[in-house]
Amino acid sequence: MTAPITQDLLTIPRKLPEAALKNIVGLTRDELRDALIEAGTPEKQAKMRVGQIWQWVYHWGVRDFAQMTNLAKDYRAFLAERFEISLPEIVTRQVSADGTRKYLLRIAGGHEVETVYIPEESRGTLCISSQVGCTLTCSFCHTGTQKLVRNLTAGEIVGQVMVARDDLGEWPKQGEPKDETRLVSNVVLMGMGEPLYNFENVRNAMKVVMDGEGISLSRRRITLSTSGIVPEIAKTAEEIGCLLAVSFHATTDEVRDKLVPVNKKWNIETLLNALREYPRLSNSERITFEYVMLDGVNDSDADARRLVKLIRGIPAKINLIPFNEWPGVAYKRSSWERIEAFADIVHKAGYASPIRTPRGEDIMAACGQLKSATERGRKSRAEIAAETGA
C-alpha cells in the first residue's frame, strides 16, 4: 500500500535569496507599519500610510507606487526606492474542459508551486499551496512524492490569491460602479504542503486576505485542510478562526498509518479529541472530514459505520472524494456504486455526505494531483511499473 517515491533531483537553493527591496505583499498591518517606520516614515504618519498603501495594493490591485495618487510624489518615490509589490510569476496556465484553471507559479529561488481555480455556479474556489513539496508522504497523494523544499512566505501565499484575481480581471476599477460579484469567493488551503507545518506564514497571510479594507474574504469563506497536526489545531481556531477540514481517509489506525503516515505521531483518537474542541474555540459551525475513496482499502460498509461512530458528537460533514489517479500510483478509485453505498450509510446516520465531483482531471489539477514541475527527476508510468512490478 505504498507508492513509489520520486524525489526532486534538481539542485535549487532551499533558502530565500536576499532581496534588494522589501516586498510589501504579505506583511500584516503591524509589520507594514514597522517596516515603514524603519525605512524613515515619521511614526505619527505611519498608521495613516499603512491604510493608504493597504487599500491601493489589496483593494485596487495596484502594483506601482507611482499610481498611489493620494500620496505625495516625494513619498511615492521614497517608497519605490525601498519597497516592491511583487507576486509569484505565472510559468504556465492551463484551462480544463470544465473551466478549472491551474497555474504553475515560480517563486523566489526558482521554485515552483501550483494553484487551482475552480469555478462553480454559486462560487469560485481558489486552492492555494503553503509549501514547496510536502513532508507527509501520504501514499495516495501526488504532492507527497515530492520532498519538502521550503515553506512559502506569507507574501507567496497571499500572492497566489492576487495572481488569480489578476487573471480573472477581478480588481475593481476606479470610477466604475461597484461590482459585488466575487469570482474568487472562497479560498481553500488544500494545495501543495501541510499548512500547519507553516503556521505563522499561513496565519499572517490569512490576516491579509481576511482584512475588510482589502481582499476582504470572510473567515467563513476560508478553509484550511490539515492531515492532523494536533498541537497546531487549537492555535488555528484561536489565531485564524477559519473553517477546518481534516484529511481523515481511514477508520482504523492500521490503515491510516499507511495512508497518512503522520497518524503514527497523532493517532485517530488523539486527533478526534483535538477536533472536538475546534468548533467552540473558532466559533465554527462544523468540521469537514475529507475521505478519499480507495477501492478495497477504506470503502467498505464497515468503514462507513466505523466512521460515523468515530465522529459522533462532532458537528461535521463528510466530503467523499473519488480518488484521482496519477502515473505510478498503487491505488484505484472506488466504483461509483460503492461510493454511493458508503455515502448512503453516512447520510442515514445524520451527516451530510456530498460526493465531490472531480474537477480538472484532464490537466492534473484534481485533489491530490498537484506536483511542481521543478521535479525534473519525475519518472514515467512505464519506468515506475518496471521498478515496482506493477
Side-chain angles (χ1 to χ4, degrees):
M1 285 177 64
T2 56
I5 305 297
T6 57
Q7 300 287 27
D8 179 357
L9 302 181
L10 186 66
T11 303
I12 294 181
R14 264 53 177 167
K15 290 184 179 178
L16 278 166
E18 288 290 324
L21 303 174
K22 190 171 187 66
N23 190 13
I24 277 175
V25 176
L27 298 181
T28 64
R29 283 181 178 267
D30 287 344
E31 288 172 336
L32 180 54
R33 179 180 177 276
D34 291 346
L36 292 176
I37 292 170
E38 188 181 339
T41 299
E43 199 165 332
K44 288 182 179 178
Q45 294 180 17
K47 185 177 179 182
M48 177 184 69
R49 297 303 186 204
V50 167
Q52 291 171 318
I53 295 166
W54 195 276
Q55 191 173 51
W56 282 114
V57 174
Y58 296 119
H59 178 75
W60 298 112
V62 165
R63 305 290 147 73
D64 183 354
F65 293 110
Q67 294 178 30
M68 299 183 180
T69 50
N70 61 348
L71 300 175
K73 273 190 179 180
D74 59 345
Y75 192 69
R76 284 181 254 167
F78 164 87
L79 291 172
E81 288 170 7
R82 294 162 178 80
F83 297 96
E84 63 179 355
I85 304 164
S86 178
L87 302 184
E89 171 198 352
I90 297 179
V91 179
T92 60
R93 170 186 175 277
Q94 294 174 275
V95 182
S96 167
D98 64 20
T100 298
R101 301 184 186 200
K102 182 172 79 168
Y103 308 97
L104 178 67
L105 303 177
R106 184 171 293 129
I107 57 173
H111 306 298
E112 292 165 351
V113 294
E114 291 186 330
T115 303
V116 176
Y117 174 71
I118 305 161
E120 297 173 79
E121 278 188 31
S122 59
R123 64 183 182 177
T125 299
L126 189 71
C127 178
I128 62 178
S129 296
S130 56
Q131 296 180 309
V132 185
C134 192
T135 58
L136 294 179
T137 64
C138 296
S139 58
F140 58 89
C141 179
H142 201 205
T143 311
T145 65
Q146 180 184 338
K147 68 182 178 182
L148 178 70
V149 177
R150 69 167 171 84
N151 286 333
L152 296 191
T153 65
E156 290 162 346
I157 296 169
V158 175
Q160 293 172 71
V161 180
M162 298 174 74
V163 163
R165 294 193 76 185
D166 283 356
D167 188 49
L168 295 163
E170 195 179 12
W171 300 104
K173 293 181 174 59
Q174 290 176 293
E176 293 188 7
K178 189 175 181 183
D179 185 355
E180 297 293 344
T181 306
R182 294 301 294 261
L183 297 176
V184 178
S185 64
N186 294 68
V187 164
V188 294
L189 285 143
M190 294 183 185
M192 296 168 64
E194 165 54 64
L196 296 190
Y197 276 151
N198 187 16
F199 180 81
E200 289 189 5
N201 286 324
V202 166
R203 177 198 61 205
N204 290 351
M206 292 307 100
K207 279 185 179 179
V208 173
V209 170
M210 292 187 288
D211 189 288
E213 293 181 19
I215 295 170
S216 190
L217 281 183
S218 155
R219 63 186 182 86
R220 295 187 183 279
R221 295 277 187 172
I222 296 169
T223 301
L224 183 150
S225 176
T226 178
S227 292
I229 313 305
V230 166
E232 305 297 330
I233 288 175
K235 279 173 65 179
T236 303
E238 292 162 354
E239 297 183 33
I240 304 176
C242 61
L243 302 182
L244 191 71
V246 181
S247 296
F248 205 62
H249 308 312
T251 60
T252 67
D253 284 324
E254 180 185 7
V255 175
R256 196 166 191 267
D257 283 352
K258 293 172 183 173
L259 296 180
V260 188
V262 77
N263 193 71
K264 295 172 186 174
K265 189 176 288 189
W266 299 290
N267 66 12
I268 288 174
E269 183 182 3
T270 306
L271 173 59
L272 290 174
N273 286 340
L275 294 176
R276 288 179 199 284
E277 289 297 300
Y278 192 89
R280 179 182 63 80
L281 293 173
S282 66
N283 195 27
S284 296
E285 291 176 9
R286 60 185 178 181
I287 289 171
T288 298
F289 286 83
E290 298 168 320
Y291 198 94
V292 66
M293 300 298 292
L294 300 169
D295 184 39
V297 175
N298 65 353
D299 62 350
S300 69
D301 287 355
D303 280 306
R305 286 190 285 269
R306 267 195 302 271
L307 178 59
V308 296
K309 190 174 180 181
L310 282 168
I311 66 170
R312 189 172 293 154
I314 301 176
K317 78 168 180 177
I318 319 296
N319 256 356
L320 300 179
I321 306 168
F323 176 58
N324 299 306
E325 296 184 20
W326 43 271
V329 71
Y331 302 108
K332 291 183 179 177
R333 177 182 292 183
S334 303
S335 71
W336 196 251
E337 293 75 20
R338 182 90 298 273
I339 295 173
E340 287 186 325
F342 194 104
D344 190 52
I345 292 170
V346 174
H347 180 71
K348 284 177 177 172
Y351 293 97
S353 54
I355 300 169
R356 185 183 294 173
T357 304
R359 298 291 301 271
E361 285 185 293
D362 54 331
I363 57 169
M364 289 284 283
C367 182
Q369 290 185 328
L370 298 190
K371 190 177 176 79
S372 168
T374 305
E375 189 177 334
R376 309 300 184 196
R378 184 184 305 169
K379 299 176 183 178
S380 71
R381 183 192 291 266
E383 287 173 321
I384 293 170
E387 286 180 11
T388 61

